[in-house]
Amino acid sequence: MKKKYAMAYIVDRCVDCKACMVACKAEWHVPDEDFRTHIDTGKSPDYTDKLRLHFLPHQCNHCDDAPCVTVCPTKASYKREDGIVSINQKICVGCKYCIVSCPYDARFFNHELGVAEKCTFCLPRIAEGLAPACVTTCPGNVRVFGDVNDPKSEISALLRDAAEKHYKVWKLRQDLGTEPNIYYVQK
């Protein structure tokens, strides 16, 4: 069976420390004003009517039906066999169609390089058998990465356990039909 990489966030564990963002910037030399991963902050009343902060990690969703791939005129944006949506920067012409078409606001234009950029799940690290930088740096073990087609992988075990225990599991904007590969788990 082919590998299919995905990531899950155990959102109850996120404390907005931003270690994932720092690790990503250091790994990829992301310009100061841009991010390949970030954390959205929201407020909601908890069960006692007090306000509670919620932190939601966010990055490219590596969609199975990725709009960014569909609109790319040069095919610089493409879907790999292992499920990762990537960009061939050598043929990217900087038209920004992929940036505009992404419903997850997960791409940015690198003005220095003249190309679009996004999370790649740290492809070079994966090739070396390492987890993405954001995963290894997270002190709360919020991020779980792996092959969802491998029943023995950590991410498969997490999703199975979440289903058995009836935890809330969701994906962002499933209504768009993009088939995202980022899972959110709330225990």
Side-chain angles (χ1 to χ4, degrees), residues 93-165:
V93 295
C95 70
K96 304 179 188 171
Y97 290 166
C98 63
I99 295 169
V100 174
S101 71
C102 177
Y104 304 101
D105 194 27
R107 290 176 172 237
F108 66 92
F109 188 74
N110 185 321
H111 293 279
E112 267 182 43
L113 301 176
V115 296
E117 281 197 37
K118 59 175 270 325
C119 166
T120 63
F121 281 151
C122 289
L123 280 170
R125 292 177 61 90
I126 294 170
E128 293 177 21
L130 302 171
C134 62
V135 173
T136 60
T137 307
C138 179
N141 296 315
V142 172
R143 295 165 180 254
V144 178
F145 173 80
D147 177 4
V148 291
N149 286 341
D150 176 1
K152 296 179 182 176
S153 71
E154 185 180 358
I155 190 167
S156 291
L158 169 68
L159 295 174
R160 223 176 12 259
D161 184 55
E164 289 170 6
K165 293 181 179 173

Side-chain angles (χ1 to χ4, degrees), residues 8-161:
Y9 303 129
I10 305 169
V11 294
D12 305 281
R13 295 179 180 173
C14 185
V15 295
D16 197 23
C17 72
K18 299 194 179 5
C20 55
M21 295 168 62
V22 172
C24 182
K25 279 190 171 288
E27 184 78 21
W28 293 99
H29 311 289
V30 177
D32 289 344
E33 66 278 359
D34 297 307
F35 298 93
R36 286 184 172 204
T37 187
H38 63 275
I39 299 171
D40 294 331
T41 304
K43 298 177 191 171
S44 70
D46 65 13
Y47 299 109
T48 62
D49 291 329
K50 294 180 183 173
L51 284 182
R52 178 179 175 194
L53 287 176
H54 297 275
F55 305 114
L56 199 66
H58 182 82
Q59 67 189 57
C60 172
N61 280 245
H62 298 278
C63 304
D64 286 342
D65 190 11
C68 57
V69 170
T70 306
V71 301
C72 182
T74 65
K75 305 298 180 216
S77 287
Y78 64 100
K79 179 87 173 171
R80 294 167 37 111
E81 282 193 22
D82 59 11
I84 297 173
V85 174
S86 194
I87 303 171
N88 180 342
Q89 292 185 340
K90 292 178 183 170
I91 61 173
C92 177
V93 295
C95 70
K96 304 179 188 171
Y97 290 166
C98 63
I99 295 169
V100 174
S101 71
C102 177
Y104 304 101
D105 194 27
R107 290 176 172 237
F108 66 92
F109 188 74
N110 185 321
H111 293 279
E112 267 182 43
L113 301 176
V115 296
E117 281 197 37
K118 59 175 270 325
C119 166
T120 63
F121 281 151
C122 289
L123 280 170
R125 292 177 61 90
I126 294 170
E128 293 177 21
L130 302 171
C134 62
V135 173
T136 60
T137 307
C138 179
N141 296 315
V142 172
R143 295 165 180 254
V144 178
F145 173 80
D147 177 4
V148 291
N149 286 341
D150 176 1
K152 296 179 182 176
S153 71
E154 185 180 358
I155 190 167
S156 291
L158 169 68
L159 295 174
R160 223 176 12 259
D161 184 55

